[in-house]
Amino acid sequence: MSVILYARVSTTDQTIEHQEAQARKAGFQIDTVVSDQGASGLSTKLADRSEGRRLYDMLRRGDTLVVRWVDRLGRNYQDVCDVIREFMRRGVTIRTVINNMTFDGATTDPIQQAVRDALIAFMAATAQAQAEATKEAQKAGIAHAQTKDTKYRGRKPTYDRHQYQLVREMLANGAGASAIAKATGLTRQTVIRIEDKAPDQAEANLLAWGL
């Protein structure tokens, strides 16, 4: 039985190493890391990514698949639901680093199965909604930045884009400011500022400073 971490990054400011370090810090004993770089989770299904296909071939009954959160599997609602259910049918346990969620096919109780499947659907829908909201915020941020005097960039953010995205994801998942600060290395006050700032303004600020 193996513990396999699947990591995915879609932008240059994200790293596979950060996702692995986060998983190990959370106590996961990782045997193998499978990763896709520069792969969109919204437009590309897991089975259509080179290492995603490898993951399908590797996983066996009794294995544990670890992901930072379900959005690493993908940000397409239907694909994420299909992937998790397919792996559960194979006897694979799926665990997330954020929120320490566990999904498996062990239960035969129909009520527990319904609750589990509803939670999977909710998390998959959240992943897609976050991706679409981020795209819209980026568009608005670019437009906002273009209407401003390029000589004035405002105060430089104390966080990079990866940290910003992780904060927004964890906030959406109900994490508190203190837990987010610990996970991202930011101060609690910075997390609160990110929470209070409009997404298009945050995007404009990051773009203005090339972050």
Side-chain angles (χ1 to χ4, degrees):
M1 295 184 288
S2 298
V3 178
I4 300 171
L5 171 71
Y6 176 73
R8 177 182 63 82
V9 296
S10 55
T11 59
T12 55
D13 53 281
Q14 301 172 343
T15 67
I16 299 298
E17 292 76 16
H18 177 78
Q19 292 181 39
E20 181 179 357
Q22 196 177 19
R24 293 190 184 279
K25 186 177 180 181
F28 291 98
Q29 302 298 315
I30 307 298
D31 296 311
T32 306
V33 177
V34 178
S35 61
D36 277 301
Q37 301 200 40
S40 168
L42 191 59
S43 60
T44 309
K45 293 181 178 181
L46 180 66
D48 294 334
R49 302 174 214 147
S50 59
E51 294 302 285
R53 290 193 296 272
R54 180 181 166 217
L55 190 64
Y56 272 92
D57 294 336
M58 289 178 62
L59 287 169
R60 298 288 185 270
R61 179 172 296 276
D63 287 348
T64 297
L65 171 62
V66 177
V67 289
R68 190 187 76 186
W69 200 60
V70 297
D71 64 352
R72 296 305 87 195
L73 294 172
R75 289 183 176 271
N76 176 281
Y77 169 80
Q78 193 60 57
D79 184 45
V80 172
C81 289
D82 290 345
V83 165
I84 294 177
R85 287 167 183 160
E86 168 63 19
F87 289 158
M88 287 195 304
R89 282 194 291 269
R90 294 187 182 193
V92 174
T93 298
I94 300 94
R95 295 189 61 187
T96 68
V97 176
I98 295 176
N99 293 343
N100 192 29
M101 305 296 294
T102 299
F103 300 103
D104 60 38
T107 182
T108 57
D109 181 86
I111 299 299
Q112 293 181 0
Q113 288 177 340
V115 172
R116 178 201 64 199
D117 292 346
L119 182 57
I120 291 170
F122 171 76
M123 294 175 73
T126 301
Q128 180 167 339
Q130 287 175 346
E132 293 176 347
T134 297
K135 286 178 63 177
E136 291 303 313
Q138 288 173 340
K139 290 179 183 178
I142 291 171
H144 183 81
Q146 289 174 341
T147 62
K148 300 293 183 181
D149 181 356
T150 55
K151 293 181 180 179
Y152 178 71
R153 298 187 291 178
R155 180 181 295 178
K156 185 176 181 179
T158 56
Y159 48 86
D160 59 26
R161 184 174 296 277
H162 171 71
Q163 289 172 313
Y164 171 75
Q165 291 176 337
L166 182 56
V167 169
R168 299 303 309 188
E169 289 175 5
M170 292 185 72
L171 285 169
N173 293 326
S178 297
I180 296 173
K182 184 176 180 180
T184 59
L186 300 173
T187 66
R188 188 173 183 277
Q189 290 72 22
T190 298
V191 172
I192 293 172
R193 283 200 299 272
I194 292 175
E195 183 177 18
D196 292 340
K197 182 172 287 190
D200 60 336
Q201 293 177 344
E203 284 293 338
N205 200 203
L206 288 166
L207 286 166
W209 285 93
L211 298 173

